[in-house]
Amino acid sequence: MKRHKYRLGIPLLGKGATNHLHRMEVVKAFASRGIPVIFLVREDYLPLLERIPGCTYRAVHFKEITGFRQFLCSISRNIRMRYPFQDRGLRERYRRKHLDNSILTRIINRLYGFFACFRWMVSFLVVLEQHIYRKSQTVFGCDAKEIDQLLLLGIGTLHSELEGQMTWWGIKEGISVVHIVGNYDNLSSNGYRGVPVNRLLVWGRNMRKDAMRIHGIPPERITEIGSIRYNLNSSLLISKKKFLECMGLSTKRKTLLFAGFLFASQYFEMMTCFQEILNEGLDCQLILRVYPNKQLMNSIYMEPLLHYANKFSRVTVSLADPYFRYGERGRPVLQIEEYELWNSLAVCDCVINIFSTISVEACIFDKPVINMWYFPRPTGNLARQPVYLDYSANFHNRRLASYGAIRIATNRQQLKKMIYEALKNPGKLSEQRHRVVKDEVGQLDGQACDRLAEICIQEYHRSVKVTR
């Protein structure tokens, strides 16, 4: 195979990148083509990462822009993250976030939202940020002479601001830059891009549409390669019998998988619902998958939850935080536990979650999936009931619901009824689930890393020709 002699830099600046790009399969795809990988890692992440053999690691740090330029950047980002504010999900999200703020703060939020309705405004703000970063050196620890191309997760939207700074640095240094999408909601619900995009790698057709419709990226600059993580999960799968026995569960019972979110109350709600189902005579068992949020894991609810779950012989707990039981409990989760996740999805008969990527993953495994969208009422006298962000109103969740593949339970009785129906007729909605995979995930042929490497090579050679 022809060797392409250039050096690839992969910045690891957030947990998305450490989960999607810091992978042996990615490194192998480039190594087989003669391309060495240099990981550019946030300083606080560097001592926590398990290193991949044969790769170089460099610590990078970022300098805050100060003064008036910092003020302008803050305004720009606050407007960009709200785009397109015409979307009712975005409007509702920010309205609820600012319910308890002062009148002035709410007025400012309304102003940000007004400007975030216009493409010309957010496009202008990207140009403004370009001038700010062009005059400011904010990335340190990278030697541009060592790197010929950057592969970045994210395009400078909400939660990928550091990737935006790294992009501006790469452009200023004349380095080829390729962007790749992490999760299925990254382009649809996190605002307007903060950087120019020469090559964007997406999962499938809907991500392509989001990139064009929301971010104004020309179609010729977008390439569908499938999802890196989802193209690799089969390598972790073992037999159903072996996995269930390892988890202390029976191979003869129906298995429910509950993949919770940030709300501790819903884990207890699921346990109560499960107890009622058992009392009604349904012969089943439960895998309780706990979300890897440190605030949740270190809360006063976690030990009682684990103690309660361990009382049931038909319940096993799967922790997405690999350090909670073995290691430092306070250690940030840079890479979630995947072995139990993929095998749980493979062996279960029904998936219950709270508007997360687990819904898409359940569709990949063609499993009936239910969203639990209700909250137990708090006890005691409160000035008012808690106000939750309405995740069901988010654009990506509305689109996912439009397939008709995912059922939504708004109370315990509905949830129990939907579980009974899913176990009785698991093939129902299978066609809709396959449409979710086709439109949202794209190709699942195990070749996503090869496509990633080939497109990066092509983009590098194209950029070299342009600079000549």
Side-chain angles (χ1 to χ4, degrees):
M1 183 177 289
K2 184 178 178 181
R3 295 171 66 85
H4 303 270
K5 295 185 180 298
Y6 76 94
R7 297 153 300 177
L8 178 71
I10 302 181
L12 304 179
L13 309 179
K15 295 173 184 177
T18 56
N19 276 283
H20 289 272
L21 296 179
H22 189 245
R23 310 181 75 95
M24 178 65 76
E25 294 83 356
V26 172
V27 171
K28 284 182 176 178
F30 285 98
S32 67
R33 292 161 173 81
I35 301 170
V37 173
I38 303 170
F39 286 109
L40 308 172
V41 190
R42 273 174 47 170
E43 283 185 315
D44 54 330
Y45 283 8
L46 192 60
L48 304 177
L49 277 177
E50 295 183 13
R51 302 196 177 193
I52 298 175
C55 297
T56 302
Y57 289 76
R58 295 276 188 271
V60 297
H61 61 279
F62 296 82
K63 180 182 178 182
E64 287 276 346
I65 291 175
T66 58
F68 185 65
R69 286 180 295 179
Q70 191 276 334
F71 174 71
L72 290 177
C73 276
S74 175
I75 292 176
S76 177
R77 288 171 182 165
N78 271 293
I79 294 173
R80 283 196 296 103
M81 72 174 61
R82 288 165 170 80
Y83 181 82
F85 206 66
Q86 303 94 316
D87 181 77
R88 64 181 176 85
L90 276 171
R91 288 201 310 272
E92 181 63 10
R93 181 199 303 178
Y94 284 100
R95 185 190 73 81
R96 293 195 179 198
K97 277 186 175 182
H98 293 285
L99 278 176
D100 293 328
N101 290 103
S102 66
I103 294 176
L104 178 60
T105 302
R106 280 181 281 171
I107 291 173
I108 292 172
N109 176 58
R110 288 288 185 90
L111 283 174
Y112 286 153
F114 171 76
F115 288 117
C117 290
F118 305 103
R119 171 75 66 81
W120 64 265
M121 171 57 73
V122 290
S123 299
F124 165 75
L125 292 174
V126 174
V127 175
L128 174 67
E129 290 183 40
Q130 179 180 9
H131 285 289
I132 291 173
Y133 284 109
R134 184 176 288 171
K135 295 180 179 180
S136 306
Q137 175 67 2
T138 61
V139 182
F140 297 89
C142 303
D143 186 350
K145 296 178 182 178
E146 284 189 332
I147 302 165
D148 300 297
Q149 186 177 65
L150 289 172
L151 174 61
L152 278 155
L153 192 89
I155 53 175
T157 54
L158 182 65
H159 305 311
S160 65
E161 293 85 357
L162 293 182
E163 285 81 358
Q165 289 190 45
M166 183 66 78
T167 300
W168 290 124
W169 175 82
I171 292 172
K172 186 164 66 172
E173 297 292 341
I175 298 170
S176 166
V177 181
V178 175
H179 295 89
I180 185 171
V181 178
N183 286 334
Y184 82 106
D185 61 336
N186 287 165
L187 293 180
S188 60
S189 300
N190 289 323
Y192 189 73
R193 60 183 172 86
V195 294
V197 175
N198 289 320
R199 177 60 51 193
L200 178 65
L201 308 182
V202 300
W203 292 9
R205 66 176 68 176
N206 275 347
M207 276 193 182
R208 171 184 285 274
K209 291 177 183 178
D210 290 338
M212 294 187 293
R213 178 181 64 87
I214 298 175
H215 301 280
I217 300 172
E220 64 273 12
R221 296 186 181 183
I222 306 167
T223 306
E224 297 176 29
I225 66 167
S227 165
I228 298 297
R229 285 183 67 224
Y230 297 162
N231 269 257
L232 302 174
N233 58 43
S234 61
S235 63
L236 298 175
L237 298 182
I238 60 175
S239 72
K240 179 177 180 177
K241 182 177 184 295
K242 183 177 180 181
F243 177 70
L244 287 174
E245 288 177 349
C246 288
M247 298 293 283
L249 298 175
S250 169
T251 58
K252 298 178 181 180
R253 296 190 179 103
K254 296 291 187 180
T255 303
L256 306 178
L257 169 61
F258 177 73
F261 190 40
L262 298 169
F263 315 109
S265 62
Q266 288 183 307
Y267 293 92
F268 289 98
E269 169 64 19
M270 186 65 227
M271 291 291 296
T272 303
C273 178
F274 178 68
Q275 180 66 68
E276 289 186 6
I277 288 174
L278 292 182
N279 293 340
E280 292 167 7
L282 184 62
D283 189 21
C284 64
Q285 55 197 2
L286 174 66
I287 300 173
L288 200 72
R289 175 80 175 184
V290 182
Y291 192 75
N293 175 268
K294 284 300 177 184
Q295 187 174 354
L296 171 67
M297 300 302 295
N298 295 324
S299 72
I300 59 174
Y301 303 104
M302 190 49 53
E303 290 296 344
L305 174 64
L306 297 180
H307 178 72
Y308 182 38
N310 288 332
K311 288 173 59 179
F312 292 85
S313 60
R314 297 189 182 195
V315 177
T316 189
V317 177
S318 174
L319 299 176
D321 180 351
Y323 311 116
F324 187 79
R325 282 196 175 120
Y326 313 103
E328 306 168 50
R329 289 194 174 188
R331 182 175 176 176
V333 183
L334 301 188
Q335 291 177 298
I336 65 169
E337 190 284 326
E338 289 191 340
Y339 168 77
E340 289 181 6
L341 172 62
W342 298 130
N343 280 282
S344 295
L345 285 163
V347 306
C348 75
D349 298 285
C350 178
V351 177
I352 303 106
N353 79 120
I354 295 96
F355 290 110
S356 73
T357 56
I358 294 288
S359 293
V360 176
E361 291 157 8
C363 290
I364 291 174
F365 285 89
D366 195 20
K367 304 293 182 176
V369 55
I370 304 166
N371 275 324
M372 177 198 283
W373 192 233
Y374 66 94
F375 300 89
R377 292 178 65 86
T379 59
N381 296 321
L382 301 178
R384 69 178 186 185
Q385 294 297 314
V387 177
Y388 297 95
L389 294 179
D390 188 1
Y391 292 96
S392 65
N394 288 346
F395 176 80
H396 61 281
N397 286 328
R398 299 200 316 266
R399 183 166 72 193
L400 205 55
S402 71
Y403 289 92
I406 298 162
R407 306 194 67 186
I408 299 175
T410 57
N411 58 60
R412 188 184 301 171
Q413 291 306 313
Q414 281 187 1
L415 178 59
K416 287 162 56 177
K417 182 180 177 182
M418 290 176 183
I419 290 172
Y420 280 118
E421 292 173 353
L423 297 182
K424 183 178 179 180
N425 188 5
K428 187 178 181 181
L429 305 181
S430 180
E431 182 180 340
Q432 290 88 331
R433 292 193 289 270
H434 283 111
R435 281 203 299 116
V436 169
V437 176
K438 181 181 178 182
D439 292 352
E440 300 291 341
V441 181
Q443 300 180 74
L444 282 175
D445 56 2
Q447 304 300 313
C449 286
D450 289 321
R451 286 190 287 272
L452 167 66
E454 288 302 324
I455 295 300
C456 284
I457 291 168
Q458 293 172 21
E459 185 62 23
Y460 170 71
H461 288 301
R462 188 196 67 78
S463 67
V464 169
K465 288 179 181 179
V466 169
T467 53
R468 286 177 181 172

